Amino acid sequence: MRKFAAGAFIALLCLVAHADEAAAQRRNQQPQQPTDREYWVEQLCLIAEPVLSRMSRGELQRTMIVEYSPTWDGRDARVAYMEAFGRLMAGIAPWLALPDDDTPEGVRRKQIRDWALASYAHSVDPESADYLLWTGPQQRLVDAAYIAQSFIHARQALWEPLDEKTKQRYIEKFQSLRAVVAPYNNWLLFRAIVDSFLLMIGEQHDAFAIDLTVRKIGEWYLSDGWYSDGSEFALDYYNSFVIHPMLLDVVEILAANRRRTPVDPDLALRRMQRYNILLERMISPEATFPLLGRSIHYRMGVFQTLALSAWKYGLPEPLTNGQVRNALTAVMKRMFSVEGNFTEQGFLSLGLVGYQPDIADYYTNTGSEYITATVFLPLGLPADHDFWTAEPQEWTTQRAWSGKPFPRDYHTSVRR
């Protein structure tokens, strides 16, 4: 009897040990937290797939439920589709330009690129249900410029594969935009971007309009990395949404074609880098940023210039890759962890953090919100780039408000 009891006790001990081992194995098999890059890719796909999967089949305009600002100004409502497509593509083009691979990211990227190429064709095909609004309201100039910018950012991946008929259609559509009289503000850059792309591919372009834009934007430079958006300064994020990124694209194309300009690429870049230093300091220790000016509902588009520098130029000292990636990821998580950023169909909603339609400006619709995709420009860097592999570091205000050393800041004119 004692032998039986001892055997049972030993068996029980073995059973407990086995259970503990199994539990430990289950703990070890728990899915790991995604890397920052994996998180960014997932956010990109959440934003891009509902638009491009539909448009690739010519079904976007038939199936997309569009919401308009409560103060909508009555312009042709169909502008929403070009806004969604153009702004989205301007942000994700560098990622789509990466070479194919068989990683989970690579598989999704190839699918989205295939959808994008089909969508480009639909957008200029008069027989397609997703033929975009190329005539009518002035707004068409704005988002045609973002389409042109997507070709500038990924010419080999997104422009070269298009068939000749589609290319010719784009050339004709872009040239027809000269009928739009642009307001005397950042809109000058939309015209200049379109004509700069035509220059890039060797097509007939308006050299005077490009030169006038560069001269006028140069005259509107104030100091310390800030341009005025027209004759009066407005404290908003249009330096990031439009002015710095598009000006740099324009002057780089001019320089590549040996065209002299009063603002050359080096000067334009130094001004943007100064702005980036200030922009990074606007990210609070809690991963928020000041809600300044119009179009604040463009979400992560506020940080387009930081994203552009990280992808194409490198960040200015004293900013580091680990610091900026950590800051942008924290803001992104803070923003998109709130319910309501997406509609039931999966499209972006009106708002900054969640659903906030009352902050939408009179020109805002569902498609407008896709400028947030410009934050994804660093995904054009390979996964083994230092931007993605560097250890996360505290951003400036995190260090300052926890009592740690942080770099002082000084006014910089950057006039020459």
Side-chain angles (χ1 to χ4, degrees):
M1 192 70 172
R2 288 197 186 99
K3 289 183 180 179
F4 177 78
F9 181 68
I10 292 172
L12 180 61
L13 288 177
C14 292
L15 185 62
V16 170
H18 179 72
D20 288 344
E21 183 180 353
Q25 289 178 347
R26 285 195 298 273
R27 285 194 297 272
N28 292 334
Q29 291 171 359
Q30 289 294 319
Q32 293 182 338
Q33 288 289 345
T35 65
D36 285 350
R37 185 181 179 93
E38 289 169 342
Y39 173 77
W40 282 47
V41 168
E42 184 61 31
Q43 290 303 121
L44 181 154
C45 292
L46 282 172
I47 291 170
E49 287 172 350
V51 174
L52 296 180
S53 63
R54 287 172 170 84
M55 195 168 178
S56 68
R57 303 189 301 269
E59 298 176 356
L60 180 67
Q61 297 187 42
R62 181 176 64 82
T63 62
M64 179 181 182
I65 298 174
V66 179
E67 184 175 8
Y68 299 89
S69 165
T71 57
W72 181 249
D73 64 0
R75 70 187 68 183
D76 193 320
R78 292 174 293 172
V79 298
Y81 308 110
M82 187 184 283
E83 291 188 43
F85 179 61
R87 297 171 187 216
L88 172 65
M89 293 310 304
I92 70 173
W95 182 63
L96 297 181
L98 289 177
D100 288 336
D101 60 60
D102 58 1
T103 63
E105 176 188 331
V107 171
R108 296 183 83 175
R109 185 171 60 244
K110 184 178 185 307
Q111 175 64 84
I112 291 176
R113 187 194 307 122
D114 290 344
W115 285 339
L117 291 171
S119 299
Y120 279 122
H122 280 291
S123 73
V124 289
D125 181 359
E127 302 300 316
S128 172
D130 276 339
Y131 181 62
L132 296 178
L133 191 65
W134 292 99
T135 59
Q138 290 182 308
Q139 182 66 33
R140 70 189 193 275
L141 173 62
V142 176
D143 297 293
Y146 284 109
I147 295 175
Q149 193 175 42
S150 73
F151 291 143
I152 292 169
H153 286 173
R155 179 176 176 178
Q156 290 186 332
L158 300 180
W159 174 255
E160 297 299 342
L162 298 177
D163 62 85
E164 290 306 313
K165 179 182 286 189
T166 298
K167 288 180 182 176
Q168 190 57 42
R169 284 171 169 167
Y170 269 110
I171 291 166
E172 292 171 359
K173 297 302 182 187
F174 286 158
Q175 290 172 339
S176 74
L177 294 167
R178 293 168 195 164
V180 177
V181 179
Y184 217 46
N185 53 26
N186 71 85
W187 276 53
L188 294 177
L189 283 160
F190 300 132
R191 172 71 183 280
I193 276 285
V194 170
D195 276 288
S196 295
F197 173 67
L198 292 171
L199 169 61
M200 171 188 273
I201 61 174
E203 293 294 331
Q204 195 275 328
H205 60 281
D206 189 336
F208 177 76
I210 301 173
D211 182 70
L212 174 67
T213 296
V214 176
R215 290 180 184 278
K216 184 48 64 177
I217 299 296
E219 290 172 10
W220 287 336
Y221 184 68
L222 299 175
S223 191
D224 222 25
W226 290 87
Y227 290 93
S228 176
D229 187 8
S231 59
E232 292 189 9
F233 176 70
L235 187 56
D236 55 32
Y237 292 102
Y238 271 78
N239 272 265
S240 195
F241 293 144
V242 179
I243 298 173
H244 282 298
M246 288 199 172
L247 179 63
L248 255 177
D249 280 341
V250 168
V251 297
E252 285 182 343
I253 292 170
L254 290 174
N257 286 272
R258 303 183 180 220
R259 306 283 179 90
R260 284 176 163 266
T261 64
V263 179
D264 63 22
D266 176 69
L267 179 58
L269 177 59
R270 285 188 290 121
R271 289 174 174 177
M272 186 178 78
Q273 297 291 42
R274 172 57 186 156
Y275 178 78
N276 278 334
I277 291 171
L278 298 174
L279 190 60
E280 186 270 346
R281 286 173 175 252
M282 293 187 186
I283 303 174
S284 76
E286 299 80 22
T288 64
F289 55 89
L291 308 182
L292 303 174
R294 62 197 173 103
S295 301
I296 196 64
H297 46 80
Y298 285 171
R299 293 186 171 95
M300 296 299 295
V302 164
F303 300 106
Q304 180 180 179
T305 55
L306 272 173
L308 176 61
S309 287
W311 164 54
K312 193 173 182 181
Y313 304 105
L315 295 165
E317 293 183 354
L319 305 183
T320 68
N321 283 324
Q323 170 186 3
V324 170
R325 189 197 73 240
N326 192 30
L328 293 179
T329 303
V331 176
M332 201 181 300
K333 288 182 175 180
R334 171 113 191 211
M335 180 179 290
F336 286 101
S337 65
V338 175
E339 291 294 325
N341 286 290
F342 297 94
T343 69
E344 290 184 2
Q345 285 186 301
F347 296 108
L348 286 169
S349 66
L350 302 185
L352 170 71
V353 182
Y355 180 56
Q356 300 160 315
D358 289 339
I359 70 169
D361 298 288
Y362 65 87
Y363 46 79
T364 308
N365 61 72
T366 300
S368 311
E369 306 293 359
Y370 283 83
I371 201 170
T372 194
T374 55
V375 78
F376 296 124
L377 292 170
L379 284 172
L381 298 168
D384 61 357
H385 189 277
D386 184 69
F387 183 82
W388 298 110
T389 61
E391 288 296 316
Q393 294 179 311
E394 293 177 313
W395 53 94
T396 301
T397 60
Q398 263 193 322
R399 296 188 61 81
W401 289 99
S402 59
K404 297 176 183 176
F406 68 98
R408 289 179 292 176
D409 186 58
Y410 297 93
H411 162 79
T412 307
S413 65
V414 200
R415 290 204 167 271
R416 289 196 296 255

